[in-house]
């Protein structure tokens, strides 16, 4: 019995490691990305993890693909919708007209963070499980997620994407939009809002520059940062000022790195690719996984001999 248990545990460890290695190999790659600066149309396929989440009346929130079975979004997106209302589009570029590289899935499960605070938007994060798995392409790929301990210094260039309104209370975008926003440190962000910014949040925006921010309909979408050829998601669009184009207030996002354990607890053998980022570069969890493999293989024979001799 102990021998079989050891085999089962070792197999589970190796399965999880293999899934993580596979995810790190594919996540955050956007071969069609042209990275145009400043609130302009994105090109088709430039943000292949971007998800358009629809309800009975069309697009209402964004999300990001994190593996073949799960989407990451904001908890507040789902407060007025039943799971049967949800349809998610992948590989979409425009909301009307042809999207030849697109596919869609319904939701089989929606998980809001158990500590989501409605009035304060703290822990504004949700996971949506797809009805069936996706196949990846140049237009449909998962994003890497910032690992626990990641540091995004103030001023670091990041990107937010979505089909939200082009101005406060204005018309929603048809073509996927992208804008570069610098990180605003939490202290300055908290001062701008007069309090309420927690360590579970990350802020970005151009203070005193009008017209560059996330807006209505962008909620749930990703804030990403590029490092070499890999894109890492640091935030999930959560909230902003009453007028989203008010230059006194940065946009506020759920800080993805705070939720690594919570996200992984639902992923089973295919966890997302988590990458630790800091101001001097990034360190992939691949380094730790390779160490784990080495330790696992050196540990298994010792375990077997221990159990066989008892």
């Amino acid at each position: 019995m102990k021998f079989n248990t050891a085999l089962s545990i070792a197999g589970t460890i190796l399965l999880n490691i293999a899934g993580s290695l596979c995810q790190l190999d594919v996540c955050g790659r956007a071969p069609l990305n042209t990275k145009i600066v400043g609130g302009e149309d994105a090109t088709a396929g430039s943000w292949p993890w971007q998800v358009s989440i629809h309800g009975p009346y069309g697009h209402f929130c964004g999300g990001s693909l994190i593996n073949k079975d799960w989407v990451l979004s904001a908890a507040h997106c789902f407060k007025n919708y039943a799971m049967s209302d949800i349809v998610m589009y992948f590989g979409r570029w425009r909301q009307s007209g042809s999207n030849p590289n697109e596919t869609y899935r319904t939701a089989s499960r929606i998980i809001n963070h158990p500590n989501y605070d409605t009035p304060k938007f703290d822990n504004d994060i949700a996971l949506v499980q797809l009805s069936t798995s996706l196949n990846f392409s140049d237009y449909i790929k998962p994003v890497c997620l910032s690992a626990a301990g990641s540091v995004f210094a103030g001023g670091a260039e990041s990107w937010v994407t979505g089909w939200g309104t082009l101005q406060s209370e204005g018309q929603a975008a048809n073509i996927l939009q992208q804008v570069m926003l610098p990180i605003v440190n939490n202290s300055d962000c908290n001062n701008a809002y007069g309090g309420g910014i927690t360590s579970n949040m990350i802020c970005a925006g151009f203070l005193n520059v009008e017209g560059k921010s996330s807006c209505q309909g962008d909620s749930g979408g990703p804030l990403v940062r590029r490092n070499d050829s890999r894109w890492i998601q640091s935030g999930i669009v959560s909230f902003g000022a009453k007028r989203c184009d008010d230059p006194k207030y940065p946009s506020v996002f759920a800080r993805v790195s705070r939720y690594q354990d919570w996200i992984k607890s639902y992923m089973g053998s295919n966890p997302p690719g988590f990458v630790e980022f800091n101001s001097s570069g990034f360190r992939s969890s691949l380094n730790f996984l390779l160490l784990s493999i080495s330790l696992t293989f050196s540990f298994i024979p010792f375990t077997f001999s221990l159990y066989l001799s008892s």
Side-chain angles (χ1 to χ4, degrees), residues 264-303:
K264 288 178 68 175
S265 70
Y266 293 98
M267 299 292 107
S269 61
N270 188 32
F274 282 95
V275 176
E276 185 178 332
F277 181 95
N278 57 56
S279 57
S280 61
F282 78 97
R283 177 174 57 180
S284 167
S285 52
L286 176 64
N287 297 329
F288 300 106
L289 289 167
L290 291 174
L291 176 61
S292 298
I293 292 173
S294 174
L295 291 172
T296 300
F297 278 113
S298 63
F299 178 72
I300 288 173
F302 172 77
T303 306

Side-chain angles (χ1 to χ4, degrees), residues 140-277:
I140 301 173
K141 288 183 184 294
V143 68
C144 298
L145 300 181
S146 54
S150 292
V151 176
F152 293 86
E157 292 186 357
S158 297
W159 292 78
V160 63
T161 50
W163 289 274
T165 57
L166 299 176
Q167 58 186 11
S168 190
E169 306 299 332
Q171 184 177 1
N174 181 42
I175 302 297
L176 179 64
Q177 298 294 295
Q178 59 188 23
V179 64
M180 191 282 287
L181 299 177
I183 296 297
V184 176
N185 68 56
N186 274 32
S187 176
D188 290 342
C189 189
N190 194 58
N191 289 338
Y193 280 95
I197 303 301
T198 75
S199 58
N200 296 320
M201 302 171 185
I202 185 170
C203 303
F206 290 96
L207 295 177
N208 301 316
V209 177
E210 189 171 354
K212 291 182 179 289
S213 69
S214 57
C215 208
Q216 292 92 6
D218 290 326
S219 289
L223 176 74
V224 297
R225 163 80 173 173
R226 186 172 186 170
N227 195 295
D228 295 327
S229 60
R230 194 189 299 269
W231 290 90
I232 305 163
Q233 183 174 353
S234 59
I236 302 164
V237 179
S238 180
F239 70 93
K242 186 175 182 179
R243 287 189 57 85
C244 59
D245 51 3
D246 189 329
K248 297 188 296 294
Y249 300 94
S251 298
V252 184
F253 307 77
R255 187 181 290 264
V256 171
S257 62
R258 299 280 291 182
Y259 301 98
Q260 180 173 348
D261 290 343
W262 181 76
I263 293 169
K264 288 178 68 175
S265 70
Y266 293 98
M267 299 292 107
S269 61
N270 188 32
F274 282 95
V275 176
E276 185 178 332
F277 181 95

